[in-house]
Amino acid sequence: MSRVLIAEDLYLLRDGLVHLLQAHGFTVVAAVESGPELLKGLLELRPDVSIVDVRLPPTFTDEGLQAALAARQQLPGLPVLVLSQHVEQLYARELLADGSGAIGYLLKDRVFNAEQFIDAVRRVAAGGTAMDPEVIAKLLARNARNEPLAALTPREREVLEAMAEGRSNAAISQRLYLSESAVAKHTASIFAKLGLAPSDDDNRRVLAVLAYLNSR
């Protein structure tokens, strides 16, 4: 049973997250509403995963994100899922900077799709990655003139988008109605075209793709 820490300053959303997570078998070890409380809780409680609003008191800028990053500096790989009202590529870049995984970045609207949200929480708790489709869309749009990306077929681009969101081969095959062997062939082709070293590890592969998109 995963232990979760929630950091959200809006009472109704914080309370809603507590009930949603408990209903899906998680243990909520703390629910805090400020950056200092978040950092203290992360370091003292060391939850299996934390769900963090980017903007928290006292500054209401990126207090939540900075507290989570500070905790990960002291506890490398500490699983963190960040929630944001809007897509900010800078937030994604900061979260991905250490390349260690166990991170997620979702728009708050995703919370209302319980199945997708809980899947993302579990993925991050397991050391994986969960990136919002809108974040990936913006990264790809920013790289629209990138020659290797332009060389991808439409199907390879679909696989790339799903991979960048943090999906495994099995999840991509279900989503795109492809066999796992077909997905494996597409990912091999994508990595060859992008000049990335192939890997059988789903999470390392996701991080390699995200690092590539963030470096352009």
Side-chain angles (χ1 to χ4, degrees):
M1 188 178 292
S2 294
R3 299 164 60 253
V4 186
L5 186 152
I6 298 168
E8 168 59 57
D9 65 301
L10 295 176
Y11 172 77
L12 288 178
L13 181 53
R14 186 171 67 247
D15 192 54
L17 285 169
V18 169
H19 285 88
L20 175 62
L21 290 161
Q22 288 176 337
H24 284 82
F26 293 89
T27 298
V28 178
V29 294
V32 303
E33 56 182 300
S34 73
E37 288 177 303
L38 168 60
L39 181 57
K40 184 174 184 288
L42 289 174
L43 295 178
E44 291 182 357
L45 298 173
R46 301 192 180 199
D48 298 314
V49 62
S50 59
I51 298 167
V52 177
D53 185 3
V54 167
R55 298 173 185 266
L56 290 175
T59 67
F60 288 102
T61 53
D62 61 352
E63 194 84 5
L65 175 65
Q66 294 308 321
L69 292 173
R72 278 174 64 94
Q73 284 185 341
Q74 296 187 52
L75 301 171
L78 185 72
V80 174
L81 174 58
V82 169
L83 300 179
S84 176
Q85 198 69 44
H86 308 286
V87 172
E88 292 286 351
Q89 290 180 36
L90 178 61
Y91 296 160
R93 191 172 299 124
E94 290 193 66
L95 280 167
L96 294 163
D98 65 10
S100 62
I103 56 95
Y105 177 27
L106 298 180
L107 290 178
K108 280 190 173 181
D109 287 351
R110 306 300 175 198
V111 175
F112 298 111
N113 185 322
E115 185 178 348
Q116 287 184 15
F117 176 67
I118 293 298
D119 174 65
V121 174
R122 287 183 174 140
R123 214 183 315 154
V124 173
T129 307
M131 300 301 285
D132 196 280
E134 287 196 30
V135 175
I136 304 307
K138 285 210 170 186
L139 288 174
L140 288 171
R142 192 185 71 188
N143 286 277
R145 296 185 181 180
N146 180 294
E147 250 179 68
L149 283 176
L152 300 181
T153 67
R155 179 60 89 183
E156 286 171 348
R157 192 177 176 89
E158 286 181 325
V159 172
L160 176 68
E161 289 174 8
M163 198 189 321
E165 288 172 25
R167 309 283 175 185
S168 64
N169 273 9
I172 294 171
S173 70
Q174 291 179 357
R175 181 171 175 175
L176 299 180
Y177 303 103
L178 296 169
S179 67
E180 286 195 45
S181 61
V183 173
K185 287 179 182 177
H186 284 308
T187 56
S189 176
I190 290 166
F191 269 58
K193 289 179 179 179
L194 299 186
L196 298 173
S199 173
D200 292 328
D201 184 291
D202 283 332
N203 196 43
R204 286 185 183 177
R205 194 184 59 197
V206 169
L207 291 171
V209 169
L210 289 169
Y212 177 88
L213 292 175
N214 266 304
S215 68
R216 303 294 146 174

